[in-house]
Amino acid sequence: MHQKAQRKGANELFMDFLNRYRLPDGLEPIVKWQLTQIFDHYNNGQSKQDSVLKSQLAGLEQKRKQLQIRHGMGKIDKETFELTLGHITEQVKNITKEMNILTPKLSNLNSLITSALEKLQNLSIQWASHDLERKRWMHKTLFPDGIYYDVEKHIYLTTQENEFLRLTHCIAGGYTENKNRNFQDFSENSGLVVLPRFELVD
């Protein structure tokens, strides 16, 4: 009678789980190109939004100066001046707050994506080489909501992935499904939605 095959342990299962995020051979350049297009588009949008907010701030500053001049010349009473100034100040505060939460533009985009993809291809190796603290950090970064064990399938699963993992997985899967279409068509019709915050694999 054959001996029952030993089931994989928790650490080995997790290594297998990480290896699922490896890109298929030959697909890395295509995924990198697509990611560059997405991040470039996002960066351009951020720059435009930043310019709009700066323009709004400049307009409010001009209104504030004009208000002070009119008040100084006695053209408006104190109550009107204070109410209007308070309204302008509140608008300035809201715009400044919005500018502060904008994700900084990625100036070294190409090197960041290249480095992140290299690390993505070796997640299980990185995991094995890290100490406990670094493993915890890596786990939290890649899978914000954690992972869970599927008893029936004897595998790990997750409900939420790091955005970079999700994007690369989506691009690779989409390209594989549409491999008979030309590359430009895939780029234009991939339908990827860029969320407001990214964190490249570190």
Side-chain angles (χ1 to χ4, degrees), residues 158-170:
T158 185
T159 57
Q160 183 182 1
E161 303 161 332
N162 168 286
E163 276 302 313
F164 188 79
L165 289 186
R166 191 186 71 83
L167 277 173
T168 53
H169 184 71
C170 182

PDB file of all heavy atoms in Angstrom, residues 158-170:
ATOM      1  N   THR A 158      -7.061  35.483  -0.613  1.00  0.00           N
ATOM      2  CA  THR A 158      -7.166  36.828  -0.037  1.00  0.00           C
ATOM      3  C   THR A 158      -8.345  37.551  -0.657  1.00  0.00           C
ATOM      4  O   THR A 158      -8.769  37.234  -1.778  1.00  0.00           O
ATOM      5  CB  THR A 158      -5.874  37.644  -0.277  1.00  0.00           C
ATOM      6  OG1 THR A 158      -5.984  38.904   0.398  1.00  0.00           O
ATOM      7  CG2 THR A 158      -5.658  37.898  -1.775  1.00  0.00           C
ATOM      8  N   THR A 159      -8.887  38.515   0.073  1.00  0.00           N
ATOM      9  CA  THR A 159     -10.013  39.304  -0.436  1.00  0.00           C
ATOM     10  C   THR A 159      -9.564  40.659  -0.968  1.00  0.00           C
ATOM     11  O   THR A 159     -10.320  41.340  -1.648  1.00  0.00           O
ATOM     12  CB  THR A 159     -11.059  39.539   0.680  1.00  0.00           C
ATOM     13  OG1 THR A 159     -10.433  40.184   1.795  1.00  0.00           O
ATOM     14  CG2 THR A 159     -11.670  38.220   1.126  1.00  0.00           C
ATOM     15  N   GLN A 160      -8.347  41.051  -0.636  1.00  0.00           N
ATOM     16  CA  GLN A 160      -7.839  42.346  -1.113  1.00  0.00           C
ATOM     17  C   GLN A 160      -6.339  42.273  -1.353  1.00  0.00           C
ATOM     18  O   GLN A 160      -5.591  41.815  -0.498  1.00  0.00           O
ATOM     19  CB  GLN A 160      -8.133  43.461  -0.101  1.00  0.00           C
ATOM     20  CG  GLN A 160      -7.696  44.837  -0.597  1.00  0.00           C
ATOM     21  CD  GLN A 160      -7.948  45.934   0.423  1.00  0.00           C
ATOM     22  OE1 GLN A 160      -8.434  45.679   1.523  1.00  0.00           O
ATOM     23  NE2 GLN A 160      -7.615  47.148   0.068  1.00  0.00           N
ATOM     24  N   GLU A 161      -5.932  42.739  -2.539  1.00  0.00           N
ATOM     25  CA  GLU A 161      -4.518  42.753  -2.891  1.00  0.00           C
ATOM     26  C   GLU A 161      -4.016  44.184  -2.980  1.00  0.00           C
ATOM     27  O   GLU A 161      -4.774  45.110  -3.227  1.00  0.00           O
ATOM     28  CB  GLU A 161      -4.311  42.079  -4.260  1.00  0.00           C
ATOM     29  CG  GLU A 161      -4.824  40.655  -4.347  1.00  0.00           C
ATOM     30  CD  GLU A 161      -5.029  40.224  -5.787  1.00  0.00           C
ATOM     31  OE1 GLU A 161      -5.295  41.105  -6.631  1.00  0.00           O
ATOM     32  OE2 GLU A 161      -4.924  39.017  -6.057  1.00  0.00           O
ATOM     33  N   ASN A 162      -2.729  44.348  -2.795  1.00  0.00           N
ATOM     34  CA  ASN A 162      -2.068  45.611  -3.086  1.00  0.00           C
ATOM     35  C   ASN A 162      -2.421  46.019  -4.520  1.00  0.00           C
ATOM     36  O   ASN A 162      -2.496  45.180  -5.414  1.00  0.00           O
ATOM     37  CB  ASN A 162      -0.557  45.382  -2.923  1.00  0.00           C
ATOM     38  CG  ASN A 162       0.292  46.508  -3.466  1.00  0.00           C
ATOM     39  OD1 ASN A 162       0.419  46.655  -4.670  1.00  0.00           O
ATOM     40  ND2 ASN A 162       0.900  47.253  -2.575  1.00  0.00           N
ATOM     41  N   GLU A 163      -2.656  47.323  -4.756  1.00  0.00           N
ATOM     42  CA  GLU A 163      -3.091  47.789  -6.073  1.00  0.00           C
ATOM     43  C   GLU A 163      -2.126  47.398  -7.188  1.00  0.00           C
ATOM     44  O   GLU A 163      -2.536  47.104  -8.309  1.00  0.00           O
ATOM     45  CB  GLU A 163      -3.273  49.314  -6.068  1.00  0.00           C
ATOM     46  CG  GLU A 163      -4.613  49.767  -5.547  1.00  0.00           C
ATOM     47  CD  GLU A 163      -5.756  49.172  -6.342  1.00  0.00           C
ATOM     48  OE1 GLU A 163      -5.711  49.205  -7.592  1.00  0.00           O
ATOM     49  OE2 GLU A 163      -6.690  48.658  -5.716  1.00  0.00           O
ATOM     50  N   PHE A 164      -0.830  47.406  -6.887  1.00  0.00           N
ATOM     51  CA  PHE A 164       0.143  47.047  -7.916  1.00  0.00           C
ATOM     52  C   PHE A 164       0.001  45.577  -8.292  1.00  0.00           C
ATOM     53  O   PHE A 164       0.059  45.212  -9.466  1.00  0.00           O
ATOM     54  CB  PHE A 164       1.565  47.341  -7.435  1.00  0.00           C
ATOM     55  CG  PHE A 164       2.604  47.176  -8.505  1.00  0.00           C
ATOM     56  CD1 PHE A 164       2.808  48.172  -9.457  1.00  0.00           C
ATOM     57  CD2 PHE A 164       3.376  46.025  -8.573  1.00  0.00           C
ATOM     58  CE1 PHE A 164       3.756  48.024 -10.454  1.00  0.00           C
ATOM     59  CE2 PHE A 164       4.323  45.858  -9.577  1.00  0.00           C
ATOM     60  CZ  PHE A 164       4.519  46.863 -10.513  1.00  0.00           C
ATOM     61  N   LEU A 165      -0.201  44.725  -7.295  1.00  0.00           N
ATOM     62  CA  LEU A 165      -0.423  43.312  -7.574  1.00  0.00           C
ATOM     63  C   LEU A 165      -1.677  43.126  -8.421  1.00  0.00           C
ATOM     64  O   LEU A 165      -1.684  42.350  -9.389  1.00  0.00           O
ATOM     65  CB  LEU A 165      -0.592  42.526  -6.265  1.00  0.00           C
ATOM     66  CG  LEU A 165       0.616  42.318  -5.373  1.00  0.00           C
ATOM     67  CD1 LEU A 165       0.239  41.400  -4.216  1.00  0.00           C
ATOM     68  CD2 LEU A 165       1.787  41.741  -6.130  1.00  0.00           C
ATOM     69  N   ARG A 166      -2.736  43.815  -8.044  1.00  0.00           N
ATOM     70  CA  ARG A 166      -4.001  43.671  -8.760  1.00  0.00           C
ATOM     71  C   ARG A 166      -3.871  44.122 -10.208  1.00  0.00           C
ATOM     72  O   ARG A 166      -4.374  43.476 -11.127  1.00  0.00           O
ATOM     73  CB  ARG A 166      -5.091  44.494  -8.065  1.00  0.00           C
ATOM     74  CG  ARG A 166      -6.494  44.192  -8.582  1.00  0.00           C
ATOM     75  CD  ARG A 166      -7.504  45.129  -7.964  1.00  0.00           C
ATOM     76  NE  ARG A 166      -7.362  46.471  -8.466  1.00  0.00           N
ATOM     77  CZ  ARG A 166      -7.876  46.918  -9.610  1.00  0.00           C
ATOM     78  NH1 ARG A 166      -8.544  46.083 -10.395  1.00  0.00           N
ATOM     79  NH2 ARG A 166      -7.721  48.168  -9.981  1.00  0.00           N
ATOM     80  N   LEU A 167      -3.187  45.239 -10.409  1.00  0.00           N
ATOM     81  CA  LEU A 167      -3.030  45.765 -11.765  1.00  0.00           C
ATOM     82  C   LEU A 167      -2.224  44.830 -12.655  1.00  0.00           C
ATOM     83  O   LEU A 167      -2.605  44.548 -13.788  1.00  0.00           O
ATOM     84  CB  LEU A 167      -2.357  47.140 -11.719  1.00  0.00           C
ATOM     85  CG  LEU A 167      -3.271  48.331 -11.437  1.00  0.00           C
ATOM     86  CD1 LEU A 167      -2.444  49.591 -11.258  1.00  0.00           C
ATOM     87  CD2 LEU A 167      -4.281  48.517 -12.553  1.00  0.00           C
ATOM     88  N   THR A 168      -1.097  44.360 -12.144  1.00  0.00           N
ATOM     89  CA  THR A 168      -0.264  43.484 -12.958  1.00  0.00           C
ATOM     90  C   THR A 168      -0.999  42.187 -13.277  1.00  0.00           C
ATOM     91  O   THR A 168      -0.927  41.674 -14.397  1.00  0.00           O
ATOM     92  CB  THR A 168       1.068  43.153 -12.245  1.00  0.00           C
ATOM     93  OG1 THR A 168       0.803  42.653 -10.929  1.00  0.00           O
ATOM     94  CG2 THR A 168       1.946  44.392 -12.132  1.00  0.00           C
ATOM     95  N   HIS A 169      -1.720  41.664 -12.291  1.00  0.00           N
ATOM     96  CA  HIS A 169      -2.479  40.433 -12.496  1.00  0.00           C
ATOM     97  C   HIS A 169      -3.577  40.653 -13.540  1.00  0.00           C
ATOM     98  O   HIS A 169      -3.811  39.804 -14.415  1.00  0.00           O
ATOM     99  CB  HIS A 169      -3.087  39.982 -11.169  1.00  0.00           C
ATOM    100  CG  HIS A 169      -3.812  38.685 -11.233  1.00  0.00           C
ATOM    101  ND1 HIS A 169      -3.175  37.478 -11.384  1.00  0.00           N
ATOM    102  CD2 HIS A 169      -5.139  38.405 -11.176  1.00  0.00           C
ATOM    103  CE1 HIS A 169      -4.069  36.505 -11.417  1.00  0.00           C
ATOM    104  NE2 HIS A 169      -5.268  37.042 -11.292  1.00  0.00           N
ATOM    105  N   CYS A 170      -4.239  41.805 -13.460  1.00  0.00           N
ATOM    106  CA  CYS A 170      -5.317  42.139 -14.390  1.00  0.00           C
ATOM    107  C   CYS A 170      -4.777  42.306 -15.810  1.00  0.00           C
ATOM    108  O   CYS A 170      -5.355  41.806 -16.775  1.00  0.00           O
ATOM    109  CB  CYS A 170      -6.004  43.423 -13.930  1.00  0.00           C
ATOM    110  SG  CYS A 170      -7.398  43.922 -14.958  1.00  0.00           S
TER     111      CYS A 170
END
